């Protein structure tokens, strides 16, 4: 079933203070640049949405006594048999080893993870998901996944499929922001 929604001009900043196409044009003109204003607008809106999504995610996970980073670490452990080295966690979460150490320290204080010596590498430790950590994930799962589904509930299956494709292509292009 295809949903029909009223059409709106997505270039005019209808999402509460987001940049508009006119603003992008004015900025480019101000600097004498020939970049495509719509391309600049899409990138600016994506960056603004990322900020808002990050803030909403933090508020969401705070309901469960977690941060986004702590949740991601617990979920990653659960997805990988409940045990990983700090360097493996850093790589899979896309954060620094120091960030993982901070996340693990807090989760360990709460009893949601534990450190133990690595069986494979006697010099290192692994982080282990504890039963209270696994229980926290089980408790939050129904509300968490229902809210995630509701967040994209205004999109049809076809729109979500297209969005996933577009998102993957945008993520590939993100290196343009960090390239030397």
């Amino acid at each position: 079933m295809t949903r029909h929604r009223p059409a709106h001009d997505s270039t005019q900043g209808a999402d509460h203070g987001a940049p508009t196409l006119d603003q992008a044009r004015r900025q480019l003109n101000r600097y004498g640049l020939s970049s495509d204003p719509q391309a600049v607008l899409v990138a600016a809106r994506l960056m603004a949405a990322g900020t808002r999504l990050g803030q909403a995610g933090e508020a969401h996970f705070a309901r469960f006594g977690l941060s986004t980073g702590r949740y991601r670490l617990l979920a990653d452990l659960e997805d990988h048999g409940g045990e990983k080295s700090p360097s493996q966690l850093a790589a899979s979460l896309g954060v620094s080893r120091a960030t993982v150490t901070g996340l693990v320290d807090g989760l360990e204080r709460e009893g949601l993870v534990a450190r133990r010596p690595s069986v494979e590498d006697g010099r290192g430790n692994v982080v282990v998901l504890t039963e209270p950590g696994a229980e926290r994930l089980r408790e939050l799962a129904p509300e968490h996944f229902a809210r995630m589904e509701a967040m994209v509930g205004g999109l049809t299956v076809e729109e979500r499929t297209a969005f996933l494709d577009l998102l993957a292509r945008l993520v590939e292009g993100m290196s343009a922001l960090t390239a030397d």
Side-chain angles (χ1 to χ4, degrees):
M1 176 168 104
T2 302
R3 281 191 204 125
H4 296 282
R5 289 181 301 285
H8 69 280
D9 186 350
S10 62
T11 63
Q12 293 308 311
D15 53 350
H16 314 294
T20 66
L21 187 57
D22 287 338
Q23 287 172 316
R25 281 188 187 114
R26 282 194 305 271
Q27 287 179 337
L28 291 169
N29 287 336
R30 183 179 310 127
Y31 300 117
L33 302 173
S34 63
S35 298
D36 177 357
Q38 185 188 45
V40 170
L41 178 62
V42 169
R45 289 270 185 99
L46 183 61
M47 292 172 80
T51 298
R52 291 180 63 196
L53 183 58
Q55 293 166 343
E58 290 303 327
H60 168 67
F61 287 113
R63 289 183 184 93
F64 309 107
L66 296 171
S67 66
T68 302
R70 287 180 175 194
Y71 169 78
R72 290 183 61 222
L73 191 144
L74 291 173
D76 193 53
L77 284 173
E78 184 180 57
D79 286 345
H80 293 90
E83 179 178 308
K84 267 186 153 178
S85 73
S87 59
Q88 290 171 323
L89 285 166
S92 62
L93 298 176
V95 299
S96 70
R97 178 84 189 267
T99 298
V100 167
T101 298
L103 292 170
V104 170
D105 287 348
L107 290 166
E108 190 173 38
R109 279 192 299 275
E110 294 180 38
L112 302 178
V113 300
R115 288 180 172 100
R116 70 165 178 75
S118 172
V119 174
E120 289 90 34
D121 177 5
R123 300 168 295 155
N125 287 321
V126 292
V127 180
V128 179
L129 181 66
T130 63
E131 183 50 39
E135 179 61 26
R136 176 79 58 94
L137 290 172
R138 283 191 298 273
E139 288 171 356
L140 71 81
E143 183 176 348
H144 169 61
F145 290 111
R147 286 178 180 267
M148 288 183 61
E149 184 178 21
M151 183 175 81
V152 298
L155 302 176
T156 65
V157 171
E158 294 82 10
E159 289 169 331
R160 291 193 309 256
T161 300
F163 182 77
L164 288 170
D165 176 57
L166 294 169
L167 188 59
R169 290 165 39 198
L170 286 167
V171 168
E172 287 176 19
M174 281 185 196
S175 63
L177 293 176
T178 58
D180 291 338

